[in-house]
Amino acid sequence: MASLSLPSHAAPQVSQLYQFTYPTAVQNLFSLPNGCLLLGTSISADLYYINPEALYPSAQRVITLPGSIALTGFATLGNDFYAVSGGTSPSSSLDGGMQVYVIKVETEGDVNVTLDHIVPVPGASSMDGMAALPKYPGTILSADAIGGRILRVNTSDSSVSVAFEHAALKPGDSQDASARGIKGLKIRDDYLYFTNSAQRTFGRFPIDANGTNTGDVEILAYLDDKPGDGVSYDDFSFDSDGNAFIAVHPSSVHKITPEGTQSVFAGGVNSTFLEPTSVAVSNNGASIYVSTAGEDTGFPISGGQVLKVLVSR
């Protein structure tokens, strides 16, 4: 189990592709097959599209999804269909007002995004990270960060169930009512990988084809316990070699190798990363994209960012 070690490489090249005006915070981003990005924010149900290879990248609003004021997670369903989770408050809905939108994204020529249907998720207190089941891509697993549960949503028949819950997914013994447990969620090689913000852990569970837990949790890495330092894991992404790149509040991206070595990959104190929220690895693996929430304290205040970080290969 890995704590933090010093990086063994020179600082990678970082460039800012786009920055929203305050108070827009980017909650999550997702890489499409054409290399462009979908973005969801924590203050609206507007879905944005960015071409990171454009000379001057800009955020194009492509659709506004009804019934939510924040968009929190993305998953690929296949055949140009995607699942997007949303709710009535950023990352959470204590009254159970979460839902999954099934959208179609067509990228030949001008991008065109249409809403196919909506799946209500009754009783869900939050939905953050999402991943589709490899053998059943129409079914997604989603992270209930407040309830400490893995939700299973079938986007074809609109059925919703609890795949499993576990103490490792919960906010732990935090006395903060706003504390969040499981945040990021990915499926890789018959394991469900997750980050837990409150417990400051990165771990995995073995799962079956239906997303049901088949064994005990394995904690792969953690952040040192320094109460009040504001450091926590958020969402993450894997590259083709199995390295995990994790957005870490308040200002960095960590890399955890398959062997469990954890290091600061980019950012750190006084960096340009303003509260990182998620990471997406580019399709060619040559870079990672990082979304941030921006800065709402001190001076100057700023909106959320989309950053590109080059990866040495």
Side-chain angles (χ1 to χ4, degrees):
M1 184 168 65
S3 59
L4 190 61
S5 62
L6 294 175
S8 58
H9 58 81
Q13 179 180 334
V14 178
S15 58
Q16 180 173 283
L17 300 178
Y18 186 79
Q19 184 168 25
F20 288 86
T21 57
Y22 179 81
T24 300
V26 185
Q27 179 77 7
N28 213 324
L29 83 170
F30 185 84
S31 184
L32 295 167
N34 69 345
C36 294
L37 304 172
L38 286 180
L39 313 176
T41 77
S42 61
I43 68 163
S44 77
D46 295 332
L47 192 64
Y48 293 91
Y49 177 87
I50 288 182
N51 178 359
E53 299 304 319
L55 183 60
Y56 300 106
S58 62
Q60 176 186 355
R61 185 173 60 190
V62 289
I63 194 172
T64 300
L65 299 172
S68 290
I69 64 169
L71 302 178
T72 57
F74 297 100
T76 302
L77 303 177
N79 298 319
D80 296 329
F81 285 94
Y82 298 85
V84 183
S85 58
T88 54
S89 65
S91 299
S92 68
S93 178
L94 296 177
D95 60 359
M98 301 301 295
Q99 49 208 334
V100 173
Y101 302 91
V102 177
I103 62 172
K104 186 170 186 179
V105 181
E106 298 170 289
T107 57
E108 290 189 11
D110 293 336
V111 61
N112 182 49
V113 179
T114 54
L115 174 61
D116 189 78
H117 65 279
I118 302 173
V119 181
V121 186
S125 52
S126 67
M127 296 180 74
D128 279 273
M130 285 204 306
L133 293 173
K135 292 186 178 179
Y136 306 103
T139 298
I140 59 100
L141 299 182
S142 182
D144 180 352
I146 296 175
R149 307 177 299 173
I150 302 297
L151 305 176
R152 183 192 294 115
V153 180
N154 186 318
T155 63
S156 298
D157 64 14
S158 297
S159 62
V160 178
S161 59
V162 176
F164 63 96
E165 57 184 302
H166 193 280
L169 306 176
K170 298 181 182 297
D173 60 359
S174 173
Q175 300 301 308
D176 183 356
S178 65
R180 300 293 182 263
I182 179 174
K183 292 285 285 185
L185 183 158
K186 294 290 184 292
I187 297 173
R188 182 179 175 87
D189 298 334
D190 298 323
Y191 284 92
L192 184 147
Y193 289 80
F194 68 92
T195 52
N196 186 309
S197 290
Q199 297 192 41
R200 301 154 69 111
T201 52
F202 173 67
R204 68 180 187 177
F205 286 93
I207 59 172
D208 63 17
N210 294 307
T212 303
N213 175 24
T214 60
D216 203 2
V217 65
E218 180 182 2
I219 301 302
L220 303 172
Y222 62 92
L223 296 168
D224 292 333
D225 188 12
K226 297 177 181 178
D229 63 3
V231 178
S232 64
Y233 290 132
D234 208 308
D235 211 344
F236 64 98
S237 186
F238 284 108
D239 68 11
S240 59
D241 295 324
N243 298 300
F245 294 89
I246 306 179
V248 180
H249 295 275
S251 60
S252 62
V253 173
H254 288 191
K255 177 181 178 180
I256 301 176
T257 69
E259 295 75 32
T261 301
Q262 177 177 202
S263 61
V264 176
F265 176 73
V269 177
N270 298 322
S271 78
T272 57
F273 293 80
L274 306 176
E275 300 292 346
T277 55
S278 66
V279 177
V281 175
S282 67
N283 294 342
N284 63 8
S287 58
I288 63 172
Y289 303 109
V290 182
S291 65
T292 77
E295 186 65 60
D296 62 0
T297 60
F299 180 83
I301 57 174
S302 59
Q305 307 159 286
V306 179
L307 302 162
K308 179 179 180 178
V309 185
L310 295 184
V311 177
S312 300
R313 298 190 62 84

